[in-house]
């Protein structure tokens, strides 16, 4: 998981191929269909970096059972680009994400990600805050 966090924080394509299986399947709330392999993950990272160029993920905790890892992250960044049609606000964000990773042969073969998109939208001014 430490190498994976290094990958998502750097966007290093070589590292992506080391930690993500070519057959990996990713379910992201931003895409109606699953994404596949390192290229699919790079697509999600590109979308996030386009909206939040300084985005950083901090791995807060993990729970592992067999080849499955539950991981809680904090995602931080500055809204300096369009995000789901919302123009840059310059607002800082800090939200949680809870993801499940499936591993085989020391690589990620699947992920189900659940970022706090409502929190992101509220912090960039696109949704009302309670």
């Amino acid at each position: 998981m430490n190498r994976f966090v290094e990958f998502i924080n750097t966007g290093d394509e070589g590292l992506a191929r080391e930690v993500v299986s070519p057959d990996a399947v990713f379910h992201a709330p931003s895409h109606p269909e699953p994404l596949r392999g390192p290229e699919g993950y790079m697509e999600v990272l590109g979308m996030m970096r386009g909206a939040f160029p300084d985005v950083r993920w901090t791995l807060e905790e993990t729970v592992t059972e067999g080849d499955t890892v539950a991981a809680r992250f904090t995602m931080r960044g500055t809204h300096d680009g369009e995000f789901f049609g919302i123009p840059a606000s310059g607002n800082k964000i800090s939200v949680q994400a809870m993801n499940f990773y499936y591993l085989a042969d020391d690589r990620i073969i699947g992920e189900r990600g659940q970022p706090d998109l409502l929190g992101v939208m509220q912090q960039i001014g696109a949704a009302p805050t309670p």
Side-chain angles (χ1 to χ4, degrees), residues 95-122:
V95 296
Q96 299 287 302
M98 185 67 202
N99 300 343
F100 288 91
Y101 297 93
Y102 307 97
L103 311 173
D105 300 321
D106 295 326
R107 293 167 112 184
I108 294 173
I109 60 168
E111 177 196 63
R112 287 204 176 264
Q114 294 297 315
D116 179 7
L117 290 178
L118 176 59
V120 171
M121 297 305 250
Q122 288 172 329

Side-chain angles (χ1 to χ4, degrees), residues 65-125:
E65 184 175 311
D67 291 334
T68 302
V69 177
R72 184 175 62 83
F73 292 90
T74 300
M75 181 181 80
R76 295 177 179 88
T78 309
H79 183 219
D80 284 336
E82 186 176 299
F83 185 69
F84 289 109
I86 308 302
S89 65
N91 293 357
K92 302 273 186 200
I93 64 157
S94 179
V95 296
Q96 299 287 302
M98 185 67 202
N99 300 343
F100 288 91
Y101 297 93
Y102 307 97
L103 311 173
D105 300 321
D106 295 326
R107 293 167 112 184
I108 294 173
I109 60 168
E111 177 196 63
R112 287 204 176 264
Q114 294 297 315
D116 179 7
L117 290 178
L118 176 59
V120 171
M121 297 305 250
Q122 288 172 329
Q123 291 177 36
I124 66 174

Side-chain angles (χ1 to χ4, degrees), residues 14-36:
L15 192 51
R17 287 185 288 282
E18 282 181 38
V19 299
V20 176
S21 168
D23 301 320
V25 177
F26 301 101
H27 299 272
S30 57
H31 292 72
E33 297 297 321
L35 298 160
R36 301 191 182 278

